[in-house]
């Protein structure tokens, strides 16, 4: 099975469970066949539909910031290849339960969602997947202990904040263009935001008709 030996050289990643998840998930299974030889690079790669599989280090940083325990319920917006989803399945896995039973993922492109689902099932991961606009979240399954956005909106979608559990963490790149995004981790404490910046990042945009409605946006990240 494919490993990331160099993951040990990421000084920011100190959570052993995150490193163990990276050792367990074969990234080459999530990239197109002709790019498999590049799967061990710490870099994003194209996966079709103009989208990319995220850089492993960024996936690790976001996963660590989510601070998930086994059995926690987590929602991912922008499943893409399914690699981050598989990492979430590993991190939340409980003994004796189907891997992924507390993981929910939304993807805009049906083509990508279908391919991701096939790959995930082949590897023994069974998260709940849906095709649609992830900015609306997954209200029937809320509240979530963690919510992660793998694509960047210009504003935080209000439904996602509302679907975050008290004490939960939301990890999201937010910003108007790919040059002005900040990676935020926002804790919900007493219903209020406790935000922390993890620095500038570059993600593909979150494409969401829902966010055309100003009432669905939270335009200011503040405590
Ligand atoms: N975690 C994925 C990242 C894929 S790139 C991986 O590592 O493979 C981000 C994904 O977000 C793309 O697949 C894109 O289609 C999807 N996306 C963009 N806007 C979306 C939206 N509003 N709802 C759901 N998915 C969206």
């Amino acid at each position: 099975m494919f490993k990331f030996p160099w993951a040990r050289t990421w000084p920011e990643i100190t959570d052993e469970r995150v490193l163990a998840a990276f050792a367990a998930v074969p990234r080459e299974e999530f990239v197109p066949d002709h790019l498999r030889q590049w799967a061990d690079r710490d870099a994003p790669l194209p996966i079709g539909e103009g989208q990319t599989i995220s850089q492993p280090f960024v996936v690790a940083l976001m996963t660590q910031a989510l601070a998930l325990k086994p059995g926690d319920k987590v929602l991912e917006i922008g499943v893409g290849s399914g690699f981050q989803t598989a990492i979430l399945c590993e991190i939340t896995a409980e003994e004796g339960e189907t891997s992924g039973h507390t993981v929910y993922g939304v993807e805009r492109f049906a083509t990508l969602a279908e391919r991701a689902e096939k790959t995930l099932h082949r590897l023994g991961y069974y998260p709940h997947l849906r095709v649609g606009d992830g900015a609306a979240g997954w209200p029937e399954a809320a509240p979530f202990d963690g919510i992660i956005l793998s694509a960047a909106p210009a504003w935080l979608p209000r439904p996602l904040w509302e679907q975050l559990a008290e004490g939960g963490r939301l990890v999201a790149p937010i910003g108007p263009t790919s040059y002005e995004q900040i990676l935020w981790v926002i804790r919900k404490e007493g219903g209020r935001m406790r935000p922390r910046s993890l620095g500038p990042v570059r993600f593909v945009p979150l494409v969401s008709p829902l966010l055309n409605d100003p009432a669905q946006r939270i335009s200011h990240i503040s405590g």
Side-chain angles (χ1 to χ4, degrees):
M1 191 181 272
F2 181 80
K3 306 278 182 205
F4 289 94
W6 39 261
R8 295 270 160 204
T9 67
W10 290 331
E12 295 85 351
I13 310 302
T14 51
D15 186 335
E16 285 296 326
R17 297 184 55 244
V18 174
L19 293 168
F22 268 79
V25 181
R27 187 174 186 242
E28 78 276 18
E29 299 290 332
F30 293 87
V31 306
D33 283 345
H34 68 285
L35 296 173
R36 276 176 92 99
Q37 65 188 115
W38 308 111
D40 65 345
R41 296 281 174 103
D42 194 7
L45 292 167
I47 54 169
E49 307 287 4
Q51 307 303 317
T52 53
I53 179 171
S54 304
Q55 180 189 350
F57 171 70
V58 177
V59 173
L61 192 67
M62 293 173 82
T63 307
Q64 180 170 267
L66 280 172
L68 295 164
K69 302 184 303 297
D72 275 0
K73 205 188 257 193
V74 58
L75 173 66
E76 182 192 11
I77 310 306
V79 165
S81 69
F83 178 72
Q84 168 80 73
T85 322
I87 295 284
L88 296 174
C89 291
E90 284 286 338
I91 290 276
T92 58
E94 288 177 295
E95 287 236 8
E97 295 282 355
T98 310
S99 178
H101 75 114
T102 61
V103 178
Y104 294 76
V106 186
E107 168 54 48
R108 186 164 84 92
F109 287 103
T111 45
L112 296 181
E114 280 161 23
R115 201 188 310 152
E117 184 166 60
K118 268 196 201 129
T119 310
L120 288 162
H121 287 184
R122 192 170 68 238
L123 296 171
Y125 302 115
Y126 294 89
H128 309 267
L129 298 178
R130 176 183 277 186
V131 175
D133 181 359
W138 196 313
E140 312 90 285
F144 296 97
D145 303 297
I147 298 181
I148 175 170
L149 278 68
S150 295
W155 309 276
L156 176 59
R158 191 173 293 282
L160 297 182
W161 177 247
E162 286 169 355
Q163 290 170 34
L164 187 67
E166 175 62 25
R169 289 79 51 202
L170 184 146
V171 178
I174 302 177
T177 71
S178 55
Y179 300 99
E180 296 167 68
Q181 300 163 2
I182 296 291
L183 185 58
W184 292 99
V185 48
I186 312 173
R187 262 185 83 88
K188 195 186 255 191
E189 273 177 35
R192 300 186 50 168
M193 290 189 179
R194 290 279 174 267
R196 185 162 58 94
S197 163
L198 295 177
V201 283
R202 201 167 166 187
F203 277 76
V204 298
L206 183 103
V207 178
S208 168
L210 189 85
L211 291 178
N212 291 335
D213 175 2
Q216 301 292 339
R217 312 168 182 163
I218 296 177
S219 41
H220 195 58
I221 307 293
S222 65

